Amino acid sequence: AARLDAAESDLRRLADGVRRRPQIVQLAQANTQEASLESVGSVGLRLAYQLERMLDAQVVVAACESANDGAADSEGRGPVRVIGVSGRGDRRLLDSTLPPESDLARVACGEVDALFFEGDPLGGVVADRRQRPSSVLVLPMRAGERCVGAVALWPPGGREPVGGARAEILAAINAA
């Protein structure tokens, strides 16, 4: 319950950044634990689909879970879980725990900043995942100074978004 409360709080701040506050408040007012789980997943999916529409790109959203429940790794970090996959993504990734050494997990935990490279940022979490090698942009999601997750985007044409496009992406994923 404590992990869910922390994740819901972090994702509420994220949702403020994407201007989806009324929907999140409505979900947060539900009284059951199942509704809280649904709201975390709903926010991740909404963000993934919003970014997909903005960029015409495949998107995966991951959140860093709290390390308070004993599930921390040797460096004190909690697990990183996939909470959103856009329509172009592999739905089997949803609710997967990423390997701590994966690029998406490292960015989600604040270990490294944004990355743009060619490869698999997910660390092979789905063994038979068929994705041709392409460029991927991995950006952190922050709540204030704290990193709460990350977004992996496979931009069309393999080009890193710059200027207004990048500013729009950052506005969508960063909490104010």
Side-chain angles (χ1 to χ4, degrees), residues 14 44 57 67 71 97 99 116 125 157:
L14 171 65
T97 300
F116 185 73
V125 71

Side-chain angles (χ1 to χ4, degrees), residues 4-46:
L4 290 174
D5 288 342
E8 188 172 337
S9 174
D10 291 341
L11 289 171
R12 187 176 297 114
R13 284 189 220 121
L14 171 65
D16 286 339
V18 294
R19 296 195 170 104
R20 299 237 182 239
R21 181 75 176 154
Q23 294 165 343
I24 300 307
V25 168
Q26 186 179 32
L27 288 171
Q29 290 173 345
N31 293 327
T32 64
Q33 185 176 10
E34 292 81 12
S36 294
L37 284 171
E38 181 179 80
S39 68
V40 170
S42 295
V43 171
L45 287 172
R46 279 192 203 114

Side-chain angles (χ1 to χ4, degrees), residues 79-153:
V80 176
R81 187 169 309 280
V82 174
I83 61 167
V85 176
S86 68
R88 295 178 183 188
D90 187 340
R91 301 290 292 181
R92 296 175 298 163
L93 292 169
L94 273 177
D95 205 35
S96 297
T97 300
L98 299 175
E101 66 278 359
S102 71
D103 292 307
L104 186 56
R106 292 175 58 224
V107 171
C109 291
E111 198 176 300
V112 294
D113 203 22
L115 298 171
F116 185 73
F117 64 99
E118 195 163 306
D120 179 17
L122 304 166
V125 71
V126 175
D128 66 342
R129 191 164 176 263
R130 291 168 184 88
Q131 179 180 338
R132 65 187 189 284
S134 62
S135 298
V136 61
L137 175 63
V138 182
L139 296 168
M141 295 187 302
R142 299 188 188 283
E145 294 298 312
R146 192 169 60 106
C147 201
V148 295
V151 175
L153 305 133

